[in-house]
């Protein structure tokens, strides 16, 4: 995907403890420090489950989106199930906060 | 669970005409709002691109900022957005959080707050259509009508509210490892990449279910027919319930449904023998047509 993301999205996964607290806090801290605009949601699963209309706006249809959340396979099909499918796999990069370290995640999110 | 929840967007504005927030306050407010269930958008002058998507319509938006002058009145050109602006220059983190709660109350926007009593934990299956073969095993297996089919007869999650929290049983019986529960702790159910050994292991689990009598659904159907017969003769709902309990005991022994999930089930909410029969007939029809 392009190195200039048009959108950055951060999921807090607030309804479960499956993403390490330290990782998600460090990533959020890095985003807040970055000076860039970004979107953040309490819990993508929760939004998807109730088909929150805002989920339709989270992906950039014409540009690229980087998402800090969990497993890419889960995130991709979560959006699909919420009737907001990825415009194409090339346009969305999902970065896994369950597995990766915060500095690596931030580097991927913020690289330009 | 979701009827009283309404979208409500908080925007931390640090763009033109406003000052940057104190960095500790920015992190504290953002993290706390997220942990309370809000969505938060940060807008700076250094926008990651020049075309951040517009806030979608039909819900309230609260824009917070340390504005250089009075908080501006902002209107949505379409007339659909309810935009409220508030100056936070004189507020600390607690004051900002209180302000957000007050505005949300004024907008009558319900919120699903993590950790609060009555909050709904988003627990439901997600189907990986790259793997799914539309075999309908999940639809057959699920007792709670979580699954259904669309107009094209493709399996889909239709009633995620019905899903029993912490029960990943349908995922365990999916022969293609195509069903994920993102909140589950371990893979491949949580969405981890599927390995060859996962497919083999899931197949073994399907075989285990077959020990219950061909398949779980056949077992339920047979039992429900017997229960229905007795029910009609004896007019005893207790006996029908006993049948379901017996079947659930077998499920429990199989280890497919976690014991704690079974323990919390209200058996009276399980489908009635008639409903199970109806579902069996629908399934048979579907499979016959496909």
């Amino acid at each position: 995907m392009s190195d200039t993301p048009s959108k950055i999205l951060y999921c807090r996964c607030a309804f479960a403890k499956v993403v390490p607290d330290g990782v998600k806090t460090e990533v959020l801290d890095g985003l807040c420090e970055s000076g860039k605009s970004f979107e953040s949601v309490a819990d993508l699963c929760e939004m998807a489950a109730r088909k929150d209309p805002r989920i339709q706006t989270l992906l950039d249809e014409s540009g690229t989106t980087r998402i800090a959340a969990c497993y890419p396979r889960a995130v991709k099909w979560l959006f699909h199930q919420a009737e907001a499918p990825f415009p194409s796999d090339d346009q969305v990069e999902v970065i896994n906060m369950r597995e990766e370290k915060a500095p690596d995640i931030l580097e991927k999110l913020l690289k330009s | 669970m979701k009827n009283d929840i309404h979208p409500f967007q908080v925007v931390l504005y640090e763009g033109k005409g406003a000052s940057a927030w104190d960095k500790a306050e920015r992190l504290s407010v953002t993290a706390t709002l997220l942990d309370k269930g809000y969505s938060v958008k940060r807008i700076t002058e250094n926008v990651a691109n020049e075309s951040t998507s517009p806030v979608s319509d039909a819900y309230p938006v609260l824009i917070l900022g340390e504005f250089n002058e009075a908080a501006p009145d902002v209107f949505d050109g379409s007339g659909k957005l309810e935009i409220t602006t508030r100056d936070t220059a004189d507020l600390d983190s607690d004051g900002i959080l209180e302000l957000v709660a007050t505005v949300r109350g004024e907008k009558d926007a319900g919120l699903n707050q993590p950790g609060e009593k009555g909050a709904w934990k988003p627990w439901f299956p997600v189907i990986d259509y790259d793997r799914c073969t539309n075999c309908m095993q999940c639809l057959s297996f699920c007792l709670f009508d979580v699954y259904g089919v669309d107009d094209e007869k493709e399996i889909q999650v239709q009633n995620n509210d019905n899903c029993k929290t912490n029960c990943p049983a349908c995922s365990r019986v999916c022969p293609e490892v195509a069903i994920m529960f993102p909140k589950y702790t371990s893979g491949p159910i949580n969405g981890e990449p599927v390995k060859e050994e996962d497919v083999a292991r899931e197949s073994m689990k399907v075989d285990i279910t077959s020990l219950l009598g061909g398949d779980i659904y056949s077992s339920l159907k047979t039992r429900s027919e017997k229960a229905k017969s007795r029910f009609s003769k004896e007019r005893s709902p207790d006996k029908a319930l006993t049948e379901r309990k017996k079947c659930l005991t077998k499920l429990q022994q199989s280890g497919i449904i976690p014991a704690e999930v079974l323990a919390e089930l209200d058996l009276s909410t399980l489908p009635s023998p008639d409903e199970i029969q109806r579902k069996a007939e629908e399934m048979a029809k579907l499979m016959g047509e496909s």
Side-chain angles (χ1 to χ4, degrees):
Chain A
M1 73 180 281
S2 161
D3 274 353
T4 52
S6 49
K7 290 198 76 168
I8 295 171
L9 172 63
Y10 166 90
C11 174
R12 186 71 170 173
C13 195
F15 283 88
K17 297 190 181 302
V18 292
V19 175
D21 278 343
V23 173
K24 61 185 185 184
T25 298
E26 196 175 334
V27 170
L28 183 61
D29 191 10
L31 285 174
C32 285
E33 286 288 293
S34 71
K36 288 192 174 178
S37 297
F38 65 92
E39 298 254 10
S40 56
V41 298
D43 197 300
L44 274 174
C45 290
E46 197 262 356
M47 289 180 80
R50 57 187 172 80
K51 293 189 169 53
D52 188 315
R54 287 170 299 178
I55 208 162
Q56 304 286 341
T57 72
L58 295 177
L59 302 176
D60 191 319
E61 292 296 315
S62 55
T64 56
T65 307
R66 289 186 184 138
I67 306 173
C70 64
Y71 292 100
R73 188 166 74 100
V75 176
K76 173 183 175 178
W77 293 110
L78 192 67
F79 272 86
H80 177 91
Q81 204 153 293
E83 298 170 10
F86 287 5
S88 75
D89 286 352
D90 290 344
Q91 286 175 259
V92 184
E93 181 180 8
V94 181
I95 304 156
N96 186 355
M97 291 197 292
R98 289 175 78 158
E99 295 286 343
E100 299 191 45
K101 293 185 172 66
D104 299 335
I105 296 165
L106 282 167
E107 187 179 337
K108 290 178 181 176
L109 281 175
L110 299 172
K111 70 184 176 188
S112 57
Chain B
M1 63 92 193
K2 295 175 250 174
N3 291 339
D4 58 347
I5 298 167
H6 305 280
F8 182 77
Q9 175 84 58
V10 178
V11 176
L12 306 189
Y13 181 75
E14 298 179 81
K16 189 175 180 183
S19 304
W21 287 38
D22 171 79
K23 63 181 182 181
E25 193 166 74
R26 182 191 302 128
L27 175 62
S28 167
V29 168
T30 305
T32 305
L33 288 174
L34 291 172
D35 288 338
K36 286 178 177 289
Y38 292 92
S39 290
V40 183
K41 181 173 186 167
R42 182 194 184 200
I43 296 178
T44 71
E45 284 192 277
N46 184 16
V47 180
N49 75 348
E50 298 303 322
S51 61
T52 50
S53 64
V55 178
S56 70
D57 60 6
Y59 56 81
V61 176
L62 172 60
I63 300 176
L64 303 173
E66 296 184 10
F67 299 103
N68 299 337
E69 297 177 4
D73 290 329
V74 181
F75 299 97
D76 169 37
S78 69
K80 293 178 180 176
L81 278 177
E82 291 180 62
I83 302 175
T84 304
T85 55
R86 290 286 187 275
D87 196 311
T88 59
D90 297 328
L91 298 176
D92 60 11
S93 297
D94 289 343
I96 294 169
L97 297 172
E98 197 176 317
L99 172 64
V100 172
T102 300
V103 174
R104 181 173 64 81
E106 290 170 358
K107 301 297 178 186
D108 198 23
L111 190 67
N112 191 29
Q113 297 199 39
E116 288 291 305
K117 189 178 179 184
W120 178 75
K121 180 179 178 179
W123 179 272
F124 57 97
V126 176
I127 299 172
D128 177 347
Y129 287 98
D130 281 342
R131 302 192 63 84
C132 178
T133 59
N134 214 35
C135 74
M136 305 288 171
Q137 176 112 351
C138 50
L139 189 150
S140 302
F141 179 80
C142 180
L143 291 168
F144 308 106
D145 272 340
V146 169
Y147 295 95
V149 292
D150 63 14
D151 293 342
E152 306 297 317
K153 296 194 175 91
E154 186 175 59
I155 191 76
Q156 61 178 198
V157 177
Q158 285 187 340
N159 302 302
N160 53 32
D161 287 16
N162 288 1
C163 196
K164 299 301 171 189
T165 302
N166 298 329
C167 177
C170 55
S171 178
R172 288 178 174 158
V173 301
C174 174
E176 304 298 333
V177 202
I179 297 174
M180 301 169 282
F181 285 82
K183 302 297 191 205
Y184 195 69
T185 50
S186 55
I189 294 174
N190 61 10
E192 272 183 22
V194 178
K195 307 180 192 79
E196 285 298 318
E197 54 263 39
D198 292 327
V199 179
R201 188 164 57 244
E202 298 310 306
S203 298
M204 283 175 62
K205 284 175 181 167
V206 175
D207 289 343
I208 289 170
T209 68
S210 70
L211 293 177
L212 297 175
D215 63 58
I216 299 259
Y217 192 71
S218 295
S219 176
L220 275 172
K221 183 183 171 189
T222 304
R223 285 168 180 276
S224 72
E225 283 171 348
K226 288 179 183 173
K228 185 182 179 186
S229 171
R230 277 199 300 279
F231 185 80
S232 60
K233 288 174 188 166
E234 302 171 26
R235 306 292 296 168
S236 168
D238 288 342
K239 290 204 172 189
L241 197 59
T242 301
E243 283 299 314
R244 273 181 263 163
K245 283 182 180 175
K246 282 181 185 172
C247 192
L248 284 169
T249 301
K250 282 209 167 191
L251 283 172
Q252 189 172 22
Q253 288 166 347
S254 75
I256 293 170
I257 298 181
E260 62 273 22
V261 172
L262 283 172
E264 288 178 5
L265 285 182
D266 176 359
L267 295 178
S268 66
T269 65
L270 289 175
S272 68
D274 281 345
E275 287 167 331
I276 293 174
Q277 178 67 25
R278 175 190 57 75
K279 192 173 171 187
E281 288 167 2
E282 285 177 4
M283 269 296 297
K285 189 178 173 188
L286 264 178
M287 299 305 280
E289 288 174 357
S290 61

